[in-house]
């Protein structure tokens, strides 16, 4: 069809997907149109305000402006509920076809995949934080203006959640440190040539980040009052099994500071050896052997030494998934319209770094 709308300059009608099929979207209700038409027919309006009933006269031009503003406010307030069908998946296309033109950008994917809701799920929280950290390090300037605004809105919700729940503040501190370092370099060294928006907005954002860092620094953990069993009441072998479930060395050290028993278990050489073998290949830690005073290998020091040279394995409760058949990126529990005969065989979990790599052209 050469023309989709009554006016050849118009992009055409807006359609929404419903259970009964595709229907044309009417952005404004008939009642609103009737009210605006009546308002436009009035040449002069008299409005009584205040106790003294002072009269204020509006011309026809002012009435038309008020009507347009009311239309715009009504459209904004009802956009999500009436006019758009928002999917929580995105088609990742890297080339133009006859049916689809353009490319999928990192900012577009960030806006579509509903990270604001994902941070409320404890299985996805660490995944989203790690993704934001990678974007802060190298991809912040590649986000569009809307995506950058969404990025800081999600970051604000993350900080609020940590302040309320005291959940994993160390991870958020690392994210804010990387983000503040990146913004300082961009604002001082490069300037507004690569930043979307007014430079003063970015300065305000940097000040907000510094304020968040100070709040997290002064964060006081709430003491839990329990009358039942506590972690210290568990048998030693159960405490040891808990420590062996950790994949982060800093978590082991933090837990070891709770009680003397946990400290003794957290210093076990076998525990740190297993951790090194899990994250690093044998060739890697054989190059950085660190002997202790007794002549044994100090696996704890080796873990933190190897961490400086090689990346550690990442574990997440839930991740984004990519369908190789449909080229769609989505959260697994939300699903996507897959056309494969066996969709489960086409799914591939996507790490935060893989997510960034998908949108590098």
């Amino acid at each position: 069809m050469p023309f989709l709308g009554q006016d050849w300059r118009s992009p055409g009608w807006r359609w929404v997907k419903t259970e009964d099929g595709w229907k044309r979207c009417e952005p404004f209700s008939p009642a609103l149109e009737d009210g605006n038409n009546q308002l436009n027919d009035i040449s002069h309006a008299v409005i009584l305000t205040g106790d003294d009933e002072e009269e204020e006269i509006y011309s026809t031009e002012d009435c038309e402006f008020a009507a347009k503003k009311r239309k715009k406010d009504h459209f904004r307030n009802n956009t999500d509920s009436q006019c758009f069908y928002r999917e929580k998946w995105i088609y990742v296309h890297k080339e133009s076809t006859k049916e689809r033109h353009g490319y999928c950008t990192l900012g577009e994917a960030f806006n579509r995949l509903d990270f604001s809701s994902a941070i409320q799920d404890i299985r996805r929280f660490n995944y989203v934080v790690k993704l934001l950290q990678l974007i802060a390090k190298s991809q912040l300037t590649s986000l569009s203006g809307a995506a950058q605004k969404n990025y800081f809105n999600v970051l604000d919700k993350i900080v609020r959640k940590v302040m309320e729940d005291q959940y994993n503040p160390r991870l958020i501190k690392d994210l804010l440190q990387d983000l503040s370092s990146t913004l300082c370099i961009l604002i001082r060294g490069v300037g507004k040539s690569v930043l979307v928006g007014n430079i003063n907005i970015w300065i305000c954002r940097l000040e907000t980040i510094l304020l968040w860092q100070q709040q997290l620094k002064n964060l006081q953990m709430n003491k839990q009052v329990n009358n039942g069993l506590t972690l210290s009441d568990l048998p030693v072998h159960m405490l040891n099994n808990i420590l062996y479930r950790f994949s982060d060395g800093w978590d082991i050290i933090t837990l070891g500071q709770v009680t003397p028993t946990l400290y003794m278990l957290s210093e076990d050489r076998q525990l740190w050896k297993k951790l090194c073998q899990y994250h690093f290949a044998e060739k890697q830690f054989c190059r950085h052997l660190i002997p202790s005073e007794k002549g044994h290998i100090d696996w704890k020091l080796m873990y933190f030494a190897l961490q400086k040279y090689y990346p550690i394995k990442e574990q997440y409760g839930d991740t984004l998934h990519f369908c190789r058949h449909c080229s769609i990126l989505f959260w697994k529990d939300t699903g996507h319209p897959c056309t494969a005969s066996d969709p489960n065989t086409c799914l591939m979990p996507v790490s935060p770094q893989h997510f960034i790599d998908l949108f590098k052209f």
Side-chain angles (χ1 to χ4, degrees):
M1 294 178 63
F3 304 111
L4 299 179
Q6 296 177 354
D7 189 347
W8 64 272
R9 294 166 296 182
S10 171
W13 296 106
R14 192 180 303 278
W15 297 81
V16 293
K17 187 177 181 181
T18 65
E19 296 180 355
D20 300 328
W22 290 90
K23 293 185 178 180
R24 196 172 67 193
C25 175
E26 299 292 342
F28 311 116
S29 62
L32 181 66
E33 291 290 345
D34 295 340
N36 291 327
N37 292 334
Q38 293 176 5
L39 184 61
N40 292 334
D41 293 338
I42 302 175
S43 59
H44 296 281
V46 179
I47 301 178
L48 300 178
T49 59
D51 298 334
D52 299 333
E53 295 185 350
E54 297 178 355
E55 294 185 353
E56 184 174 357
I57 307 299
Y58 289 90
S59 63
T60 305
E61 183 179 354
D62 295 329
C63 293
E64 291 178 354
F65 176 79
K68 291 180 180 179
K69 187 176 185 304
R70 188 164 58 167
K71 284 183 180 181
K72 185 182 294 185
D73 293 340
H74 176 82
F75 180 74
R76 288 177 177 174
N77 294 335
N78 294 275
T79 293
D80 293 334
S81 60
Q82 294 183 9
C83 298
F84 297 100
Y85 185 79
R86 187 182 181 91
E87 297 284 2
K88 295 182 180 180
W89 51 263
I90 187 169
Y91 177 76
V92 182
H93 54 286
K94 294 187 177 182
E95 59 183 9
S96 297
T97 63
K98 293 181 179 179
E99 295 79 12
R100 183 186 291 269
H101 294 275
Y103 297 86
C104 178
T105 63
L106 176 63
E108 184 181 357
F110 191 86
N111 288 336
R112 287 283 301 275
L113 291 173
D114 195 19
F115 289 105
S116 296
S117 300
I119 61 175
Q120 304 302 327
D121 191 336
I122 193 172
R123 300 172 303 163
R124 301 174 180 172
F125 183 84
N126 292 355
Y127 181 89
V128 176
V129 173
K130 182 63 176 180
L131 179 59
L132 264 63
Q133 188 175 13
L134 292 177
I135 293 176
K137 288 181 177 180
S138 60
Q139 301 296 321
L140 188 62
T141 56
S142 65
L143 298 180
S144 64
Q148 289 176 356
K149 184 177 180 180
N150 190 19
Y151 178 94
F152 283 95
N153 287 339
V154 174
L155 184 59
D156 179 59
K157 293 180 180 179
I158 289 176
V159 175
R160 291 177 183 273
K161 180 178 176 61
V162 173
M163 296 297 294
E164 293 173 0
D165 302 340
Q166 291 87 39
Y167 179 75
N168 208 344
R170 179 176 56 84
L171 191 63
I172 313 305
K173 290 178 181 179
D174 294 341
L175 166 60
L176 294 179
Q177 180 61 40
D178 292 336
L179 184 57
S180 61
S181 300
T182 301
L183 288 183
C184 286
I185 294 174
L186 293 176
I187 292 175
R188 296 175 183 176
V190 181
K192 57 186 178 182
S193 59
V194 296
L195 294 174
V196 178
N198 192 296
I199 191 66
N200 294 325
I201 297 177
W202 288 98
I203 294 176
C204 291
R205 287 173 176 171
L206 180 58
E207 292 175 351
T208 303
I209 293 171
L210 297 178
L211 177 61
W212 286 338
Q213 288 179 312
Q214 186 64 35
Q215 291 175 349
L216 290 174
K217 184 178 180 181
N218 299 331
L219 179 63
Q220 298 293 331
M221 294 296 180
N222 296 330
K223 293 184 178 181
Q224 301 292 334
V225 179
N226 295 318
N227 297 325
L229 292 176
T230 63
L231 188 64
S232 304
D233 298 324
L234 296 177
V236 175
H237 71 277
M238 294 186 66
L239 295 175
N240 195 43
N241 288 336
I242 291 175
L243 285 170
Y244 271 85
R245 297 296 186 273
F246 283 92
S247 60
D248 191 335
W250 284 110
D251 291 336
I252 295 177
I253 292 178
T254 303
L255 186 60
Q257 297 174 352
V258 176
T259 63
T261 303
L262 286 171
Y263 176 77
M264 178 191 66
L265 295 175
S266 66
E267 294 295 319
D268 183 22
R269 291 180 58 254
Q270 190 66 22
L271 172 65
W272 290 99
K273 180 179 179 180
K274 291 288 185 181
L275 198 62
C276 289
Q277 292 175 341
Y278 172 75
H279 286 288
F280 310 106
E282 186 175 355
K283 294 181 180 179
Q284 293 174 340
F285 59 73
C286 284
R287 298 173 184 174
H288 303 274
L289 292 177
I290 302 178
S292 62
E293 297 178 355
K294 297 180 180 180
H296 302 293
I297 299 175
D298 194 331
W299 293 102
K300 181 179 179 180
L301 291 179
M302 271 194 59
Y303 170 81
F304 291 103
L306 292 171
Q307 198 177 25
K308 298 178 181 179
Y309 298 100
Y310 311 104
I312 63 175
K313 292 183 179 179
E314 298 176 356
Q315 281 188 337
Y316 303 102
D318 190 15
T319 66
L320 287 169
H321 284 70
F322 181 74
C323 179
R324 293 186 294 266
H325 179 78
C326 305
S327 297
I328 287 180
L329 191 64
F330 64 102
W331 294 106
K332 191 173 182 180
D333 59 350
T334 59
H336 75 288
C338 188
T339 58
S341 57
D342 189 3
N344 292 330
T345 60
C346 306
L347 302 185
M348 178 180 64
V350 178
S351 66
Q353 184 60 53
H354 187 195
F355 179 90
I356 301 295
D357 296 337
L358 282 175
F359 303 98
K360 289 183 179 179
F361 304 109

